Amino acid sequence: MSYIGRFAPSPTGPLHAGSLVAALASWLDARAHRGRWLVRLEDVDTPRCPPGADAHILHQLDALGMTPDEPPWRQSQRGHAYAKALQGLLEHKDAYPCACTRKEIEAALAVAGWAHAAHAELVYPGTCRRGLGGRAPRAVRLRTCDGHGRDIVVDWQDRHAGPQQQNVTRAVGDFVLRRADGLWAYQLAVVVDDAAQGITDIVRGADLADNTPRQILLQRRLGLPAPRHLHVPLVLGQDGRKLSKQHGAAAIDVRTQDAALRALAQAATHLGLPVTVGARPSAGPTAVSDWLAQAVEAWRELHRPAEPPPAVTRA
Ligand code: GLU
């Protein structure tokens, strides 16, 4: 079976205990399937990516024995591909320009009596679906209803959590593909690149699971294949929130082999791999690769091989 997996960090800072779990899970799954493993640097949100963070991540991965099978792609160099995909969606009327500011969306939601949680993403009420009414375009959005104006419900399968379903129209509404500040939205960039790189399997943190239906919908609209998905449990900080650089997560220390092995063992434990993995790592220059080889076997025991992905259908 051909398998291509990927780790797709946003290089906003170095690898920490949370992102290492996603990196290790995607690497183990690729190796357990005797597949290829790619790294994609998701630096579309350039202002949030400090210089050097990408090189730091690649160095950490290398020291942890996870070297990508191809030179990493950078989303900051892929604008032409996103523009082409967006053009196709606009031509099919699957996407449309939107003039609304956040304040206007909030006001429209209040008028419609739709409650929303503070700081949560707003469900776009579709104000600009029928035109801009003379206002200047800001963002571009995907239309999340079918040709008859009905809601779009996406059913999908997670290899860990099982069958999933989301009514994309109700849960998120027409979502942004190109932002008002001109930057490409994560949803569009990730879908275009996963297809361009021939990704068959997405293994990533559970915080991204609720993006999956939007990405599947975009894949259908663009006529792209749908990869399989496996979302792994998140590492939470002491405050119960996702561990992140913004909340002070420490960079993975890879200065010594012992430190690298400790970090790997901690990530493996989080992934439910038997603690015996890495309990008594071998010494010497092959210690990290020996540890990883054991971990691949343990991963194989834990996760059944992925079923073939569903066929391409255009929605
Ligand atoms: N770049 C995203 C992040 O770091 C992950 C994208 C993905 O795996 O789909 O949160």
Side-chain angles (χ1 to χ4, degrees), residues 27-293:
W27 187 90
L28 288 173
D29 201 51
R31 292 296 177 255
H33 285 86
R34 298 190 172 79
R36 298 174 67 67
W37 184 72
L38 311 182
V39 170
R40 186 171 67 229
L41 297 159
E42 301 212 317
D43 55 353
V44 263
D45 198 347
T46 348
R48 285 185 56 228
C49 302
D54 48 359
H56 194 162
I57 292 175
L58 294 173
H59 165 72
Q60 287 171 303
L61 288 172
D62 202 46
L64 292 159
M66 296 184 281
T67 307
D69 293 323
E70 286 173 21
W73 282 23
R74 279 165 211 280
Q75 289 193 324
S76 52
Q77 292 168 8
R78 300 268 307 144
H80 60 284
Y82 312 144
K84 194 166 162 221
L86 187 70
Q87 191 55 36
L89 292 168
L90 285 164
E91 279 164 14
H92 270 98
K93 305 265 182 273
D94 282 330
Y96 62 88
C98 170
C100 297
T101 60
R102 190 179 167 93
K103 272 213 167 96
E104 286 168 334
I105 300 173
E106 278 170 346
L109 287 174
V111 168
W114 289 26
H116 78 272
H119 308 301
E121 245 178 88
L122 299 174
V123 175
Y124 184 63
T127 317
C128 295
R129 267 190 193 169
R130 270 169 239 94
L132 296 173
R135 295 175 304 154
R138 291 164 50 82
V140 178
R141 294 180 179 272
L142 188 84
R143 197 182 296 275
T144 59
C145 56
D146 70 10
H148 306 284
R150 288 179 302 223
D151 288 5
I152 305 252
V153 178
V154 171
D155 288 287
W156 60 283
Q157 189 73 25
D158 185 279
R159 285 172 50 210
H160 174 68
Q164 308 289 314
Q165 188 181 75
Q166 186 187 68
N167 180 325
V168 181
T169 319
R170 301 274 148 180
V172 263
D174 296 354
F175 57 88
V176 170
L177 302 172
R178 203 184 60 217
R179 299 172 9 175
D181 57 10
L183 295 179
W184 296 105
Y186 156 66
Q187 310 294 351
L188 181 69
V190 83
V191 160
V192 168
D193 285 348
D194 281 337
Q197 295 192 284
I199 301 299
T200 61
D201 288 83
I202 294 176
V203 178
R204 60 186 175 191
D207 57 321
L208 292 165
D210 72 338
N211 291 272
T212 302
R214 268 172 276 181
Q215 293 168 11
I216 292 174
L217 174 58
L218 255 179
Q219 282 150 0
R220 290 182 188 161
R221 293 277 171 85
L222 289 164
L224 301 174
R228 287 170 294 240
H229 292 90
L230 171 59
H231 291 91
V232 294
L234 279 191
V235 180
L236 303 179
Q238 279 174 349
D239 57 0
R241 294 200 293 183
K242 179 192 166 190
L243 207 62
S244 70
K245 199 199 83 178
Q246 289 89 328
H247 295 112
I252 296 292
D253 178 2
V254 294
R255 282 170 299 180
T256 63
Q257 191 167 264
D258 271 1
L261 283 165
R262 267 198 306 278
L264 285 168
Q266 197 189 1
T269 305
H270 183 80
L271 288 166
L273 298 179
V275 277
T276 45
V277 171
R280 243 175 273 110
S282 57
T286 61
V288 166
S289 54
D290 290 351
W291 184 92
L292 286 168

